[in-house]
Amino acid sequence: MFLSAEFHPFRLPSPGLWLDIFQKVKAMGFSGVSFYHMWALLEGEPGHVRIDGVFALEEFFAAAKEAGIYLLARPGPYINSETTGGGFPGWLQKTKSQLRSTNPEFLNAIKPYILEVGKIVAKAEITKGGPVILLQPDNEYTLCSESTGILDMSNCLDKQYMAFVEETYREAGVTVPILVNDALPLGNFAPGTGVGSGDIYGWDFYPFGWGQPPCSNPQNWTRSSLPYPAYLSLLRNISLPTSPRSIVEFQGGAPDAWGGVGVEQCASLVNQDFERVFYKSSYSLHVTLFNIYMTYGGTNWGNIGHPLGYTSYDAGAAISEDRQLTREKYAELKLQGNFHRASPAYLTAQPNEDSKGIYTDSSVLLTTPLLGSKTNFYVVRHDDYQSTNLTRYSLRLSTKIGNITIPQLGGSLLLAGRDSKIHVTNFDIGGIDLLYSSAEIFTWKRTGNKSTLLLYGGMGETHEFALPKEIGVLTDPENENIKYSNAGKAQIVQWTVGKDRVMLSFGKDLDIYLLWRNEVYTYWTLDLPSPEPLGRYTSPSRLNSSDASRSSVIVKAGYLLRSASIRNERLYLVGDVNATTEIEVITAPLGCCKALSFNGRDMESTFIDGRLTATVLFEAPEIHLPDLAKMDWRYVDSLPEIQNGFDDNSWTLCDKVASNNPRVLTTPTSLYASDYGYHAGSFIYRGHFMANGNETALYLQTQGGFAFGHGVWLNSSFLGSWPGTPEASATNHTLMFPRPLVRGSRYVLTVLIDHMGYDENYYNDINPMKAPRGILEYSLSGHSDASSITWKMTGNLGGETYRDHSRGPLNEGAMFAERQGYHLPGAPTASWEERSPLQGINSASVGFFVTTFTLDIPAGYDIPLAIELHGPMSVAGVKDKSSNFRVQIFVNGWQFGKYVNNLGPQMKFFVPEGILDYNGDNYLGLTLWSLDGMGAKLEDVKLSYDVVVQSGYSKPKVVQAIEYEKRV
Ligand code: IPT
């Protein structure tokens, strides 16, 4: 089973931390990771594909392999993924052709990138010793904008386009199977459907949607339907029986937008209950490729996001943006991942639509059976998937011991609201037949002549299982925590789940742990390293192996266990604790493990009831964080453009009288930023004109994507601003001149526009990605001819010939400080004015504030740090959103935050270790743009952390990137 977590290397540009994520995914029992790569970051300059530095994939592949994770590569060219342009480089705006079509111009545009990224992926294929086992070309090449029904949703698709993308990947050397994903199960490009068809078909499913705003009111589940198991007949028609049933993206989180409710609400919307109900229901369809989007979201640093999202791409995923495991939904995934890893019979079982009334005695429950040649699985949930009722039921099963109704020893089973159970019959646990179990299986393991099985249930639930009489009888049948019967055809055990675990032994053959679900959250199964090619990869063979080099261990610990290995009868564990933690080895290869080491330290270990145990002390470190608000800050004006005599000689003249953009030009020359090669961050326009004395106002239409803003000046006078709303992608603005202009004098307009990213290109017959950014239209009263204004503009210095190849083409915008490279470490700040962002600026302008600070974070701890910005407070201690200002946060040159005081909601910006030097000097720069005439200031700026983890992670190296050099 390819049970997979979606995780994007480009959203965590600190390569030394990739292993951390892979290990956390592997620790859930998952076997795979699916990743996008983002073309816009890799070919900012047309014809120059640069997949190096933090954008290189080799270290990503090495880390996946080290953790034992197989990869599904999804390098586009189109990815969607809430990225600017859906991953398309901005320069595609300048092309004439329909995007995602066979127009030669478009094919020529994508080919060099596909060949280059394809070559890199091909080198990492499993057949060459790498982790890559699948490749997905493009993304959801499925939908047409104007479809009238399910039948014509895909009628705009050009199958030759898909074929071209696939063939080009093949030409690059890719040999692994090609997986195609459909936005809906429509059957596009399913194997055997002719031109462009892939080797494996899959579709994507977001029951709660990804539209706006999904995260408010997270308890409300009335947003979807769960069309299972009715879907089954559809899926059978679409895909071949020989092809794994694949859900390439299943909802694992939800996004939040500007002005939104915050990512924690998204985590509660798509929470552990959602995972239980929706994921288990998906398994009931016999899905064997299942990828959860997102499992680790990361960060939209450096302008990589689209306009509907802000800097955090946490997405409420199982692993939070700061890489931590504090959400219960992570633990639930671990239960499911371990179940799959321990249930090879699932792979050959077949689902069946038969449902209500057959298996349970309850009319409100739905049961979907998966029937195997021996083992059966029964997935039970409320038919009304939103139901929060407590439903008692019994289950009718046909087993080796006949047709029975369980529980047999009295009482009833319980489904508590938004939950789902996978009950089993005839389940093999290392040669022993578990005849049935209502309690769910966490995992099992055979070592020597003994099997160990871990079962769990929710608090207060009654569960029952049965075992053959042939195996050893229960050693302690009078156990007060259980009901036991050996009277009939089998040994039957019933227990009601409480906090304390129950341990049972059946002679010498079998140990069973009966656990409360929340206790299982602290149990980990770790694959021991094996010789190549198995390495640490998942394999069912580990279940039955006593051979230490092909086996795995089950260990109870705490916060996280990452890896295990055995040397000289000592078990070496690597993991993380956030409190003093008891470690207990539940199973290990026979003969192994007389002693225990944790994170390289030998522990004082003892045997308790035959199990090796030790205690890891949590030692709280001393952490001294600099008080940023009190640091020595330097300031430089970052809008010199509004000063008299500013020289814009070297700026780009907006002289293009034609544009390929689909929006028809309504200005004498194009003012679309993309026509001049500017695609990220912000833009500044300077409009020169000679006054005739009749001017009273300027009309502007600007477009920067949702939540954008603009500011407008005439010479040095502020005319006004548009502070932005989450709903407006463009705005019309008439700005009155404060006083009459002097006839015959030259004036200059300065317009600063924020750019929130290009729109995505989800539909395939239109080109929303090409919606231009910049000034769309203008008029100057008193001038009938718009060409009386001569416009110049700038974006990031150099535009497509961008300067900073380490941080990529999108990290910089148009602001003076960015163009000068003042955001980069080493900038000549010594002569700048002493002023802090808490003093701020006192007019509508842009100020650039910098400070340096030193960190000395103790080794052995993972302490994710954030930079918090606090806007002004109004009297009641409530945030004052009426102050309109925007801040960009540059950490050692990397733009790791975009703060909009009047929209919010993000105030806390995580910056990964590696981007921050945890044991050295750091350079912090803030662009502070006041859209109000009275200026703006911060109330506070600080470094903060939420968790302190004593960690076995590998400390990441500080990311190397270019430093300040004088720019012309
Ligand atoms: C799906 C995209 O494939 C993926 O890139 C990401 O954008 C995801 O959505 C979450 O928004 S498209 C899906 C909404 C059908």
Side-chain angles (χ1 to χ4, degrees):
M1 174 140 181
F2 188 74
L3 188 55
S4 162
E6 182 82 15
F7 153 42
H8 304 147
F10 63 88
R11 281 182 158 123
L12 179 63
S14 179
L17 289 173
W18 292 337
L19 178 65
D20 176 60
I21 302 294
F22 282 124
Q23 288 182 330
K24 285 169 177 167
V25 169
K26 176 75 180 181
M28 302 192 302
F30 279 36
S31 53
V33 155
S34 157
F35 72 98
Y36 282 137
H37 214 1
M38 186 179 165
W39 180 21
L41 283 171
L42 309 171
E43 194 178 354
E45 182 174 359
H48 296 84
V49 183
R50 300 187 176 111
I51 311 186
D52 46 20
V54 296
F55 307 114
L57 290 172
E58 287 75 9
E59 204 170 331
F60 188 73
F61 297 146
K65 186 172 173 171
E66 182 174 345
I69 287 284
Y70 294 115
L71 294 177
L72 158 59
R74 307 200 300 155
Y78 187 72
I79 59 172
N80 209 64
S81 196
E82 294 67 69
T83 54
T84 178
F88 279 165
W91 48 262
L92 283 179
Q93 286 220 339
K94 292 187 289 187
T95 59
K96 276 197 186 129
S97 48
Q98 169 65 45
L99 302 167
R100 310 175 82 182
S101 77
T102 48
N103 187 308
E105 186 193 25
F106 185 71
L107 297 186
N108 287 334
I110 59 176
K111 191 165 181 178
Y113 166 68
I114 297 180
L115 287 176
E116 197 59 35
V117 79
K119 195 171 76 192
I120 293 169
V121 168
K123 277 193 204 142
E125 290 184 343
I126 186 169
T127 46
K128 297 165 197 114
V132 174
I133 61 166
L134 292 163
L135 178 119
Q136 180 200 294
D138 215 76
N139 188 67
E140 293 184 334
Y141 185 63
T142 307
L143 293 173
C144 309
S145 57
E146 284 181 32
S147 50
T148 50
I150 195 101
L151 289 177
D152 71 348
M153 277 181 159
S154 306
N155 67 6
C156 65
L157 299 188
D158 184 343
K159 296 198 168 187
Q160 296 292 349
Y161 167 67
M162 195 58 141
F164 177 86
V165 175
E166 292 169 359
E167 282 156 18
T168 312
Y169 276 116
R170 293 294 189 216
E171 189 185 329
V174 170
T175 63
V176 291
I178 284 189
L179 167 72
V180 287
N181 75 327
D182 233 350
L184 303 166
L186 299 174
N188 291 303
F189 307 107
T193 59
V195 178
S197 56
D199 301 310
I200 300 176
Y201 174 80
W203 84 99
D204 299 345
F205 192 18
Y206 290 83
F208 285 178
W210 202 272
Q212 309 300 319
C215 302
S216 47
N217 202 359
Q219 295 312 311
N220 179 356
W221 278 23
T222 56
R223 24 192 128 210
S224 171
S225 63
L226 184 47
Y228 304 162
Y231 250 43
L232 262 177
S233 50
L234 172 77
L235 295 170
R236 284 193 183 113
N237 287 336
I238 286 178
S239 205
L240 306 174
T242 49
S243 174
R245 189 159 294 143
S246 308
I247 304 186
V248 188
E249 294 175 23
F250 200 98
Q251 182 149 31
D256 193 35
W258 294 103
V261 292
V263 298
E264 286 311 323
Q265 292 250 46
C266 302
S268 358
L269 171 70
V270 183
N271 65 359
Q272 60 280 1
D273 303 340
F274 176 91
E275 293 175 333
R276 283 173 195 134
V277 173
F278 283 85
Y279 298 172
K280 287 183 186 175
S281 205
S282 301
Y283 308 144
S284 80
L285 302 186
H286 194 241
V287 167
T288 54
L289 185 156
F290 192 63
N291 176 45
I292 295 172
Y293 189 106
M294 294 300 298
T295 301
Y296 172 74
T299 308
N300 289 326
W301 63 276
N303 305 309
I304 67 181
H306 76 150
L308 281 168
Y310 45 84
T311 306
S312 173
Y313 194 64
D314 178 283
I319 304 174
S320 51
E321 185 183 5
D322 57 348
R323 299 175 291 99
Q324 298 312 308
L325 312 178
T326 43
R327 294 176 179 156
E328 189 173 348
K329 58 187 292 189
Y330 174 86
E332 172 58 31
L333 288 187
K334 183 171 64 166
L335 304 190
Q336 297 182 18
N338 274 275
F339 164 72
H340 278 295
R341 186 146 74 160
S343 305
Y346 169 84
L347 298 173
T348 50
Q350 282 305 315
N352 197 312
E353 284 91 341
D354 297 347
S355 51
K356 265 177 283 178
I358 300 181
Y359 298 104
T360 73
D361 60 343
S362 165
S363 61
V364 299
L365 297 181
L366 184 99
T367 310
T368 311
L370 283 149
L371 307 176
S373 57
K374 174 172 168 269
T375 307
N376 299 333
F377 302 86
Y378 302 87
V379 185
V380 176
R381 66 167 165 94
H382 278 112
D383 190 19
D384 168 10
Y385 67 88
Q386 315 176 35
S387 170
T388 53
N389 290 341
L390 302 184
T391 303
R392 302 205 168 269
Y393 64 105
S394 61
L395 201 57
R396 288 187 279 265
L397 300 172
S398 98
T399 70
K400 265 196 190 159
I401 48 168
N403 291 337
I404 51 168
T405 297
I406 67 164
Q408 299 196 84
L409 304 184
S412 55
L413 305 177
L414 173 68
L415 191 74
R418 292 169 174 179
D419 192 4
S420 173
K421 305 283 185 198
I422 304 180
H423 306 303
V424 300
T425 60
N426 300 324
F427 187 96
D428 178 66
I429 41 175
I432 297 172
D433 197 348
L434 177 63
L435 297 170
Y436 67 80
S437 172
S438 71
E440 291 186 274
I441 290 165
F442 175 63
T443 190
W444 62 270
K445 178 96 191 86
R446 179 84 175 171
T447 34
N449 294 322
K450 180 187 269 187
S451 292
T452 305
L453 169 68
L454 281 70
L455 296 174
Y456 70 91
M459 182 58 73
E461 293 168 5
T462 294
H463 284 290
E464 196 178 273
F465 62 90
L467 290 161
K469 290 200 136 179
E470 299 85 73
I471 70 159
V473 291
L474 183 60
T475 309
D476 176 17
E478 301 307 314
N479 188 322
E480 59 183 28
N481 293 309
I482 59 157
K483 279 188 193 168
Y484 175 68
S485 157
N486 201 7
K489 295 181 185 153
Q491 306 186 58
I492 303 170
V493 175
Q494 187 181 93
W495 108 102
T496 298
V497 182
K499 271 199 164 167
D500 295 331
R501 73 178 179 190
V502 180
M503 286 178 292
L504 305 175
S505 292
F506 294 82
K508 287 195 164 67
D509 302 329
L510 175 66
D511 285 346
I512 299 188
Y513 291 72
L514 305 177
L515 300 157
W516 173 36
R517 180 163 64 201
N518 292 38
E519 184 180 345
V520 197
Y521 290 169
T522 62
Y523 285 61
W524 307 88
T525 309
L526 301 161
D527 291 340
L528 293 162
S530 315
E532 297 268 312
L534 186 55
R536 280 203 165 92
Y537 292 112
T538 305
S539 161
S541 70
R542 295 181 186 277
L543 291 164
N544 272 308
S545 176
S546 292
D547 166 6
S549 76
R550 289 200 313 120
S551 191
S552 48
V553 291
I554 304 170
V555 182
K556 174 175 160 60
Y559 187 76
L560 170 68
L561 287 184
R562 296 169 183 269
S563 71
S565 54
I566 295 167
R567 276 189 314 275
N568 304 329
E569 302 193 332
R570 178 178 282 274
L571 179 62
Y572 290 83
L573 296 174
V574 177
D576 296 23
V577 295
N578 59 358
T580 292
T581 301
E582 180 109 344
I583 306 249
E584 184 186 7
V585 180
I586 305 291
T587 69
L590 218 53
C592 141
C593 310
K594 306 224 159 60
L596 204 61
S597 290
F598 189 80
N599 291 349
R601 261 203 237 172
D602 291 352
M603 312 293 299
E604 226 176 88
S605 32
T606 49
F607 280 90
I608 301 179
D609 295 337
R611 287 177 302 272
L612 188 59
T613 59
T615 302
V616 179
L617 279 185
F618 178 77
E619 294 156 272
E622 273 192 42
I623 307 164
H624 302 284
L625 293 182
D627 184 349
L628 294 184
K630 298 213 175 86
M631 303 298 290
D632 172 29
W633 287 86
R634 296 299 165 118
Y635 157 86
V636 71
D637 174 25
S638 188
L639 195 67
E641 290 82 2
I642 60 170
Q643 284 166 23
N644 271 339
F646 177 82
D647 179 4
D648 61 16
N649 237 323
S650 54
W651 285 33
T652 306
L653 182 66
C654 301
D655 59 355
K656 297 203 156 100
V657 292
S659 174
N660 287 337
N661 198 283
R663 183 185 176 279
V664 175
L665 271 191
T666 48
T667 49
T669 59
S670 171
L671 298 179
Y672 303 152
S674 59
D675 277 339
Y676 303 98
Y678 300 117
H679 306 297
S682 53
F683 311 120
I684 305 180
Y685 292 82
R686 307 242 310 154
H688 298 264
F689 65 95
M690 168 91 73
N692 59 23
N694 298 325
E695 299 84 356
T696 52
L698 171 76
Y699 161 76
L700 271 182
Q701 185 182 21
T702 58
Q703 179 159 282
F706 298 109
F708 87 110
H710 72 215
V712 187
W713 293 261
L714 177 69
N715 291 347
S716 299
S717 311
F718 177 53
L719 293 183
S721 67
W722 165 248
T725 71
E727 296 81 27
S729 187
T731 194
N732 297 308
H733 197 179
T734 300
L735 300 122
M736 305 306 292
F737 294 153
R739 61 192 77 84
L741 307 195
V742 180
R743 186 186 170 85
S745 287
R746 300 205 62 86
Y747 286 84
V748 58
L749 292 160
T750 298
V751 183
L752 168 58
I753 304 179
D754 208 359
H755 173 16
M756 315 306 281
Y758 289 121
D759 298 333
E760 295 179 315
N761 218 84
Y762 182 62
Y763 293 108
N764 295 287
D765 50 342
I766 51 173
N767 295 300
M769 180 268 158
K770 289 189 180 178
R773 300 293 186 244
I775 296 177
L776 303 186
E777 222 180 314
Y778 67 91
S779 65
L780 181 60
S781 68
H783 293 247
S784 53
D785 183 2
S787 53
S788 60
I789 305 186
T790 305
W791 292 96
K792 293 185 137 189
M793 80 166 300
T794 189
N796 64 302
L797 188 70
E800 288 163 10
T801 43
Y802 58 101
R803 298 301 166 93
D804 184 349
H805 290 184
S806 335
R807 298 174 187 84
L810 303 177
N811 191 57
E812 297 176 10
M815 291 179 184
F816 180 74
E818 297 170 87
R819 282 169 13 236
Q820 294 296 311
Y822 290 162
H823 59 294
L824 299 174
T829 61
S831 60
W832 296 0
E833 180 184 332
E834 273 182 42
R835 199 204 289 191
S836 105
L838 275 59
Q839 290 163 284
I841 53 178
N842 48 26
S843 64
S845 184
V846 183
F848 186 58
F849 296 86
V850 299
T851 190
T852 50
F853 59 89
T854 308
L855 291 175
D856 190 16
I857 304 294
Y861 293 90
D862 185 8
I863 306 168
L865 295 178
I867 291 182
E868 282 183 35
L869 300 184
H870 294 255
M873 296 288 167
S874 69
V875 261
V878 177
K879 207 176 142 192
D880 176 9
K881 287 196 170 185
S882 67
S883 175
N884 298 298
F885 67 90
R886 294 172 180 237
V887 181
Q888 295 181 100
I889 305 173
F890 287 94
V891 181
N892 295 325
W894 302 79
Q895 194 258 71
F896 252 85
K898 192 154 166 166
Y899 172 91
V900 180
N901 186 64
N902 45 308
L903 301 181
Q906 193 178 0
M907 300 169 61
K908 191 190 241 177
F909 299 85
F910 286 106
V911 184
E913 182 176 3
I915 294 299
L916 275 171
D917 184 343
Y918 269 34
N919 304 93
D921 292 339
N922 292 279
Y923 180 69
L924 174 64
L926 306 176
T927 58
L928 171 62
W929 169 14
S930 168
L931 291 95
D932 294 335
M934 80 241 251
K937 61 179 183 175
L938 290 173
E939 187 72 23
D940 199 5
V941 45
K942 61 180 175 197
L943 274 166
S944 68
Y945 57 88
D946 293 338
V947 290
V948 175
V949 179
Q950 195 169 307
S951 177
Y953 79 139
S954 332
K955 196 169 172 63
K957 288 206 195 80
V958 176
V959 175
Q960 297 303 310
I962 61 156
E963 303 215 329
Y964 174 80
E965 241 178 72
K966 192 169 166 49
R967 293 179 175 185
V968 181

